[in-house]
Amino acid sequence: MTTKNTTPEKQNAPEVTGAPKGELIPDNKQENYIPTPAEGQEHFAQWLNSLPAEMRPKFELEYQKLLREALSGKETESETSDNPGEEPINSFFPVNSAMPELPKVARLTDTEIKQGRKAGKFVDDYMAFATQDAPMSPPLFHQTYALSILSTAIARRVYVSAGTNAIYPNLYILLSAPSTLYTKTTGYKSAMKVLETAGLSHLLLPNGVTPQSLITELSNRQQDNFSSWSKDDQEEWQKERAFAAQRAWWIDEAARLLSQFQQKYLAELMPIVLELYDCAPKIKISTQIRGRETVRNAYLTICGPTTPAALRPHLKNPDYWGNGLFSRFLFVTPDTAPVRIFYPDPFPVPSELAKHINKLAFERLESPKESALGPTPPPPAVEAKVTPEVKALWNNYHAAMFELIQKNKVAEKLGPSYGRMHEKAIKVAMLLAASDWVRMAKTNPLIIHPYHWYRAQEIIEGYRASLHRIIEDASLPVESEDDELAAKMISRLRATKRNSRREIATDFHMQAGMRREKLNMLVDQLIADGVLIEKEERRERGPATKRLYVAANITD
């Protein structure tokens, strides 16, 4: 008996008609030919692929080092020592990925990849700025922040039609890298500077949002204590009302959000975040205290950095993989080794970056008008037209992800993440097309051209590799992490009288959820090993409390 081959065949996209023209093609007759940056990068990639696999990482690291030097104007120090007698410093994080190969049905040609590099000029311009402002942050992080800035600015005013549904370009993103080595917070601050300079602060959610305050923020309902707010806060709140439900949640420590999901009094937060991702036209929430609140025309983008140590416990939580939470997120991890670059000389945020985002948010896209007769109408949205060529490419990528899932090429828990890769790719293509659209005359329609898709697919493929890197990191043993925490705890106990478990948990920001459980398990282990001693004591006021002390025979 023969079995039918169910592997989808690649749909051939028609010849690209919308790709940028005017490329310089070298030939033997041209003298003193200097390739463009895109061509130079392509030549290097081809040469790199010709090398033995074991040699590529070293050359790629050197290339990244030289690239950062060129963009920042500063000389870098790589993680590898130049002195043969010294041992190399560990990478601390896997920068290579063991992801399954992309099936042939969706592979792009070298020419298509090259054309894709002409799309999304804002992303390149932002990366040039951010690499100078935060030169130690990974280039992949700067690219991600650029996309998140575009997603924030669009605020549900661009969409792609898919059957009877609309797909909007909101993104959920977690960026993870070790502290200090990759200066992830510095890179985050670079993005915030551009958002603020472009006048987009009113699209950002405030810090410390709870489930109830999140719904109140998005529902356009005035908070109960509004009259006690300062005049500036009241004016800012009024400015936010036109885009009440179309917001971005930028979080400087993103793992905090995952910890909140585990706290009993915040149990309602996760279902809300899951539902907001799909940009529903109406979400109704009813509570005993506030009654009914309705979020209309929802659109939420989430973006923020964290550390592998903070993220690992959550990555090992099967509920987050099973309930669709992690499948909605893009996980972004460094794909280059850390380099050391000193502070740049003072310079301002480039006005062109801020003007571009401001023009997209306030000129090219129409702002909603408040209605005195009822709820604020939805923001006027522009449909991004998908050409037949792009539709075929999109379908091919969906077929490729389906094939990897069907043939068990990925772990079962990653199936939902793979099932959404094609959706995330069209979101990124939308962002690139909308950004390029701003540079055109107003009469031009918003069209996703093949070169937008080419770059979007390459970007998403980078994030697919990043997903596998973070899974690999989450599977690493945590002994070194526990040793570091234990050392900090011993040092703290010797230097302070805040020595109850509750006080230590507060000082280490491990008050609840899995982080608190981890702290208690480590304390119990240190007591069992004779490193710590726990005594019940009564001080002048209050009830008796168990307090921790370092055993007398323990040295640093």
Side-chain angles (χ1 to χ4, degrees):
M1 185 177 73
T2 61
T3 58
K4 184 178 179 180
N5 183 8
T6 59
T7 302
E9 300 209 359
K10 180 171 183 176
Q11 293 189 23
N12 293 321
E15 183 179 355
V16 176
T17 58
K21 304 294 183 183
E23 297 176 289
L24 180 63
I25 307 299
D27 57 40
N28 294 333
K29 297 180 181 180
Q30 291 178 326
E31 297 181 0
N32 300 322
Y33 168 69
I34 300 176
T36 66
E39 289 170 337
Q41 188 173 2
E42 178 63 22
H43 296 163
F44 175 79
Q46 292 175 355
W47 175 79
L48 191 68
N49 289 333
S50 70
L51 297 175
E54 64 273 12
M55 294 177 61
R56 293 174 195 166
K58 181 177 181 180
F59 283 98
E60 192 166 12
L61 174 62
E62 189 65 23
Y63 169 74
Q64 291 291 340
K65 173 186 172 184
L66 294 172
L67 178 63
R68 294 193 196 187
E69 285 180 2
L71 290 172
S72 66
K74 298 287 185 179
E75 185 174 353
T76 66
E77 292 182 7
S78 70
E79 63 156 359
T80 308
S81 172
D82 292 331
N83 298 326
E86 295 183 6
E87 293 187 7
I89 302 172
N90 290 328
S91 173
F92 294 99
F93 197 91
V95 297
N96 298 311
S97 169
M99 73 172 182
E101 187 178 25
L102 183 68
K104 292 181 179 179
V105 66
R107 291 179 197 167
L108 301 177
T109 66
D110 291 342
T111 300
E112 289 169 338
I113 294 172
K114 184 177 179 180
Q115 289 175 350
R117 290 175 183 151
K118 307 293 177 67
K121 184 177 183 299
F122 169 80
V123 175
D124 298 325
D125 291 345
Y126 176 83
M127 290 181 67
F129 151 71
T131 303
Q132 183 180 1
D133 192 45
M136 290 177 61
S137 292
L140 190 60
F141 280 29
H142 295 320
Q143 171 191 276
T144 305
Y145 287 134
L147 296 173
S148 298
I149 290 170
L150 290 170
S151 179
T152 299
I154 285 174
R156 206 183 191 268
R157 291 173 291 171
V158 174
Y159 69 96
V160 161
S161 293
T164 60
N165 300 311
I167 300 175
Y168 295 93
N170 62 314
L171 299 170
Y172 284 9
I173 299 173
L174 288 173
L175 305 95
S176 177
S179 297
T180 306
L181 290 174
Y182 287 102
T183 61
K184 56 183 176 50
T185 302
T186 307
Y188 172 86
K189 290 179 179 178
S190 297
M192 296 304 295
K193 293 171 192 173
V194 173
L195 285 167
E196 292 168 2
T197 306
L200 267 61
S201 297
H202 65 288
L203 296 177
L204 308 182
L205 284 170
N207 294 326
V209 170
T210 64
Q212 197 54 55
S213 64
L214 175 61
I215 291 299
T216 301
E217 282 284 340
L218 300 178
S219 67
N220 211 1
R221 181 173 178 173
Q222 196 175 94
Q223 295 200 21
D224 295 337
N225 62 346
F226 180 79
S227 59
S228 65
W229 292 9
S230 68
K231 183 178 179 181
D232 288 344
D233 286 342
Q234 290 181 353
E235 290 177 353
E236 188 172 347
W237 183 86
Q238 291 291 351
K239 186 179 179 181
E240 296 167 355
R241 291 313 89 203
F243 292 96
Q246 299 83 42
R247 309 288 283 281
W249 200 352
W250 288 71
I251 312 171
D252 60 358
E253 176 40 70
R256 185 171 66 240
L257 175 63
L258 301 178
S259 297
Q260 287 177 327
F261 291 154
Q262 299 170 335
Q263 299 177 24
K264 291 183 179 180
Y265 73 98
L266 297 176
E268 299 174 354
L269 183 59
M270 187 190 300
I272 295 171
V273 169
L274 291 175
E275 192 168 4
L276 286 170
Y277 179 82
D278 296 320
C279 302
K282 184 183 292 186
I283 300 176
K284 297 179 181 178
I285 304 291
S286 180
T287 63
Q288 291 181 345
I289 298 176
R290 299 281 292 177
R292 173 179 287 191
E293 293 183 293
T294 303
V295 176
R296 291 178 171 84
N297 308 302
Y299 178 98
L300 181 65
T301 281
I302 297 176
C303 180
T306 186
T307 64
L311 194 54
R312 278 184 206 121
H314 303 294
L315 292 170
K316 295 176 181 178
N317 185 342
D319 291 341
Y320 288 169
W321 295 103
N323 62 14
L325 177 67
F326 280 165
S327 67
R328 287 165 167 78
F329 275 89
L330 288 170
F331 291 99
V332 187
T333 58
D335 58 353
T336 55
V339 295
R340 190 198 73 80
I341 306 176
F342 196 58
Y343 294 110
D345 295 330
F347 71 101
V349 174
S351 59
E352 295 78 10
L353 286 178
K355 288 178 181 177
H356 183 85
I357 292 300
N358 186 278
K359 185 176 181 180
L360 172 63
F362 301 114
E363 294 183 28
R364 187 52 62 92
L365 296 173
E366 188 178 346
S367 296
K369 305 293 190 297
E370 289 198 61
S371 173
L373 302 177
T376 301
V382 178
E383 181 178 2
K385 296 295 184 181
V386 177
T387 67
E389 301 96 323
V390 172
K391 186 70 176 291
L393 293 162
W394 187 13
N395 180 56
N396 289 338
Y397 194 65
H398 178 263
M401 296 300 104
F402 184 85
E403 179 181 334
L404 291 174
I405 299 170
Q406 187 181 45
K407 293 186 176 181
N408 297 319
K409 297 292 186 180
V410 296
E412 183 179 355
K413 71 177 182 180
L414 297 185
S417 297
Y418 268 63
R420 287 184 179 269
M421 287 293 179
H422 71 286
E423 176 191 67
K424 294 168 183 173
I426 200 65
K427 285 173 178 267
V428 171
M430 238 187 297
L431 295 173
L432 298 174
S435 179
D436 289 344
W437 179 56
V438 175
R439 303 179 188 276
M440 303 176 185
K442 288 186 177 181
T443 55
N444 283 286
L446 175 53
I447 299 175
I448 301 177
H449 290 288
Y451 52 90
H452 292 126
W453 175 268
Y454 299 150
R455 183 165 191 182
Q457 180 174 313
E458 284 295 285
I459 287 173
I460 291 300
E461 279 295 280
Y463 293 146
R464 185 166 72 91
S466 190
L467 172 65
H468 284 269
R469 284 195 298 273
I470 208 165
I471 291 299
E472 180 181 344
D473 177 75
S475 67
L476 295 176
V478 298
E479 284 82 0
S480 59
E481 182 184 326
D482 288 347
D483 289 345
E484 182 180 357
L485 179 58
K488 289 181 178 179
M489 192 183 307
I490 291 170
S491 177
R492 178 65 62 91
L493 289 173
R494 283 179 167 149
T496 180
K497 293 183 179 180
R498 291 177 55 83
N499 57 350
S500 69
R501 294 195 187 211
R502 180 182 60 80
E503 289 167 335
I504 293 172
T506 300
D507 293 345
F508 285 8
H509 306 289
M510 303 177 73
Q511 299 99 311
M514 295 180 67
R515 290 173 64 79
R516 181 60 182 268
E517 293 178 12
K518 177 180 177 179
L519 179 68
N520 285 333
M521 289 175 62
L522 182 59
V523 170
D524 290 341
Q525 185 62 50
L526 291 173
I527 292 172
D529 292 344
V531 176
L532 298 182
I533 299 171
E534 191 169 31
K535 299 179 181 179
E536 186 171 87
E537 297 180 354
R538 183 181 298 275
R539 294 185 174 176
E540 294 181 4
R541 297 181 180 179
T545 303
K546 289 185 177 181
R547 300 198 170 273
L548 295 163
Y549 297 91
V550 181
N553 62 331
I554 300 299
T555 59
D556 289 329

PDB file of all heavy atoms in Angstrom, residues 49 59 97 129 137 149 157 258 355 417 492 495:
ATOM      1  N   ASN A  49      28.772  30.976   5.416  1.00  0.00           N
ATOM      2  CA  ASN A  49      28.150  29.664   5.209  1.00  0.00           C
ATOM      3  C   ASN A  49      29.086  28.682   4.522  1.00  0.00           C
ATOM      4  O   ASN A  49      28.865  27.473   4.571  1.00  0.00           O
ATOM      5  CB  ASN A  49      26.868  29.811   4.397  1.00  0.00           C
ATOM      6  CG  ASN A  49      25.769  30.477   5.186  1.00  0.00           C
ATOM      7  OD1 ASN A  49      25.738  30.389   6.408  1.00  0.00           O
ATOM      8  ND2 ASN A  49      24.856  31.154   4.505  1.00  0.00           N
ATOM      9  N   PHE A  59      33.963  33.789  13.737  1.00  0.00           N
ATOM     10  CA  PHE A  59      33.943  34.852  12.741  1.00  0.00           C
ATOM     11  C   PHE A  59      32.689  35.719  12.878  1.00  0.00           C
ATOM     12  O   PHE A  59      32.734  36.931  12.671  1.00  0.00           O
ATOM     13  CB  PHE A  59      34.027  34.249  11.338  1.00  0.00           C
ATOM     14  CG  PHE A  59      35.411  33.801  10.961  1.00  0.00           C
ATOM     15  CD1 PHE A  59      35.782  32.471  11.086  1.00  0.00           C
ATOM     16  CD2 PHE A  59      36.351  34.710  10.497  1.00  0.00           C
ATOM     17  CE1 PHE A  59      37.059  32.053  10.747  1.00  0.00           C
ATOM     18  CE2 PHE A  59      37.631  34.304  10.151  1.00  0.00           C
ATOM     19  CZ  PHE A  59      37.993  32.977  10.279  1.00  0.00           C
ATOM     20  N   SER A  97      21.165  28.218  18.273  1.00  0.00           N
ATOM     21  CA  SER A  97      19.877  27.577  18.453  1.00  0.00           C
ATOM     22  C   SER A  97      19.846  26.231  17.745  1.00  0.00           C
ATOM     23  O   SER A  97      20.459  26.055  16.689  1.00  0.00           O
ATOM     24  CB  SER A  97      18.762  28.469  17.889  1.00  0.00           C
ATOM     25  OG  SER A  97      17.543  27.764  17.824  1.00  0.00           O
ATOM     26  N   PHE A 129      20.589  54.306  15.825  1.00  0.00           N
ATOM     27  CA  PHE A 129      20.551  55.187  17.003  1.00  0.00           C
ATOM     28  C   PHE A 129      20.767  54.394  18.281  1.00  0.00           C
ATOM     29  O   PHE A 129      21.605  54.747  19.131  1.00  0.00           O
ATOM     30  CB  PHE A 129      19.211  55.925  17.062  1.00  0.00           C
ATOM     31  CG  PHE A 129      18.775  56.276  18.456  1.00  0.00           C
ATOM     32  CD1 PHE A 129      19.424  57.273  19.184  1.00  0.00           C
ATOM     33  CD2 PHE A 129      17.719  55.592  19.074  1.00  0.00           C
ATOM     34  CE1 PHE A 129      19.038  57.581  20.485  1.00  0.00           C
ATOM     35  CE2 PHE A 129      17.322  55.898  20.360  1.00  0.00           C
ATOM     36  CZ  PHE A 129      17.983  56.897  21.074  1.00  0.00           C
ATOM     37  N   SER A 137      23.726  46.536  24.427  1.00  0.00           N
ATOM     38  CA  SER A 137      22.479  45.786  24.260  1.00  0.00           C
ATOM     39  C   SER A 137      22.514  45.038  22.932  1.00  0.00           C
ATOM     40  O   SER A 137      23.043  45.550  21.946  1.00  0.00           O
ATOM     41  CB  SER A 137      21.279  46.731  24.299  1.00  0.00           C
ATOM     42  OG  SER A 137      21.114  47.287  25.586  1.00  0.00           O
ATOM     43  N   ILE A 149       7.768  49.931  19.101  1.00  0.00           N
ATOM     44  CA  ILE A 149       7.442  51.353  18.970  1.00  0.00           C
ATOM     45  C   ILE A 149       6.413  51.549  17.861  1.00  0.00           C
ATOM     46  O   ILE A 149       5.416  52.274  18.022  1.00  0.00           O
ATOM     47  CB  ILE A 149       8.717  52.172  18.690  1.00  0.00           C
ATOM     48  CG1 ILE A 149       9.600  52.206  19.944  1.00  0.00           C
ATOM     49  CG2 ILE A 149       8.360  53.591  18.252  1.00  0.00           C
ATOM     50  CD1 ILE A 149      10.979  52.788  19.699  1.00  0.00           C
ATOM     51  N   ARG A 157      -5.072  50.955  14.370  1.00  0.00           N
ATOM     52  CA  ARG A 157      -5.555  51.707  13.208  1.00  0.00           C
ATOM     53  C   ARG A 157      -5.043  51.158  11.879  1.00  0.00           C
ATOM     54  O   ARG A 157      -5.184  51.807  10.845  1.00  0.00           O
ATOM     55  CB  ARG A 157      -5.177  53.182  13.370  1.00  0.00           C
ATOM     56  CG  ARG A 157      -5.941  53.868  14.496  1.00  0.00           C
ATOM     57  CD  ARG A 157      -5.437  55.269  14.745  1.00  0.00           C
ATOM     58  NE  ARG A 157      -4.102  55.259  15.310  1.00  0.00           N
ATOM     59  CZ  ARG A 157      -3.356  56.352  15.457  1.00  0.00           C
ATOM     60  NH1 ARG A 157      -3.820  57.533  15.055  1.00  0.00           N
ATOM     61  NH2 ARG A 157      -2.155  56.263  16.003  1.00  0.00           N
ATOM     62  N   LEU A 258       4.448  37.987  34.906  1.00  0.00           N
ATOM     63  CA  LEU A 258       4.201  36.555  35.041  1.00  0.00           C
ATOM     64  C   LEU A 258       4.022  36.168  36.503  1.00  0.00           C
ATOM     65  O   LEU A 258       3.218  35.282  36.824  1.00  0.00           O
ATOM     66  CB  LEU A 258       5.358  35.772  34.418  1.00  0.00           C
ATOM     67  CG  LEU A 258       5.623  36.043  32.935  1.00  0.00           C
ATOM     68  CD1 LEU A 258       6.821  35.229  32.454  1.00  0.00           C
ATOM     69  CD2 LEU A 258       4.402  35.725  32.102  1.00  0.00           C
ATOM     70  N   LYS A 355      10.091  62.312  14.548  1.00  0.00           N
ATOM     71  CA  LYS A 355       9.164  62.868  13.554  1.00  0.00           C
ATOM     72  C   LYS A 355       8.465  61.766  12.775  1.00  0.00           C
ATOM     73  O   LYS A 355       7.273  61.874  12.459  1.00  0.00           O
ATOM     74  CB  LYS A 355       9.927  63.797  12.598  1.00  0.00           C
ATOM     75  CG  LYS A 355      10.354  65.114  13.219  1.00  0.00           C
ATOM     76  CD  LYS A 355      11.147  65.960  12.218  1.00  0.00           C
ATOM     77  CE  LYS A 355      11.588  67.272  12.836  1.00  0.00           C
ATOM     78  NZ  LYS A 355      12.422  68.083  11.889  1.00  0.00           N
ATOM     79  N   SER A 417       2.896  27.697  19.949  1.00  0.00           N
ATOM     80  CA  SER A 417       3.748  28.816  19.542  1.00  0.00           C
ATOM     81  C   SER A 417       4.025  28.761  18.044  1.00  0.00           C
ATOM     82  O   SER A 417       3.961  29.784  17.341  1.00  0.00           O
ATOM     83  CB  SER A 417       5.068  28.798  20.322  1.00  0.00           C
ATOM     84  OG  SER A 417       4.841  28.970  21.713  1.00  0.00           O
ATOM     85  N   ARG A 492      23.579  39.248  53.283  1.00  0.00           N
ATOM     86  CA  ARG A 492      22.536  40.133  53.816  1.00  0.00           C
ATOM     87  C   ARG A 492      22.260  39.841  55.295  1.00  0.00           C
ATOM     88  O   ARG A 492      22.091  40.762  56.092  1.00  0.00           O
ATOM     89  CB  ARG A 492      21.255  39.956  52.986  1.00  0.00           C
ATOM     90  CG  ARG A 492      20.054  40.784  53.465  1.00  0.00           C
ATOM     91  CD  ARG A 492      20.308  42.268  53.322  1.00  0.00           C
ATOM     92  NE  ARG A 492      20.505  42.634  51.946  1.00  0.00           N
ATOM     93  CZ  ARG A 492      19.522  43.020  51.128  1.00  0.00           C
ATOM     94  NH1 ARG A 492      18.294  43.093  51.594  1.00  0.00           N
ATOM     95  NH2 ARG A 492      19.781  43.351  49.894  1.00  0.00           N
ATOM     96  N   ALA A 495      24.615  41.447  57.614  1.00  0.00           N
ATOM     97  CA  ALA A 495      24.709  42.906  57.590  1.00  0.00           C
ATOM     98  C   ALA A 495      23.454  43.614  58.072  1.00  0.00           C
ATOM     99  O   ALA A 495      23.458  44.833  58.217  1.00  0.00           O
ATOM    100  CB  ALA A 495      25.044  43.373  56.172  1.00  0.00           C
TER     101      ALA A 495
END
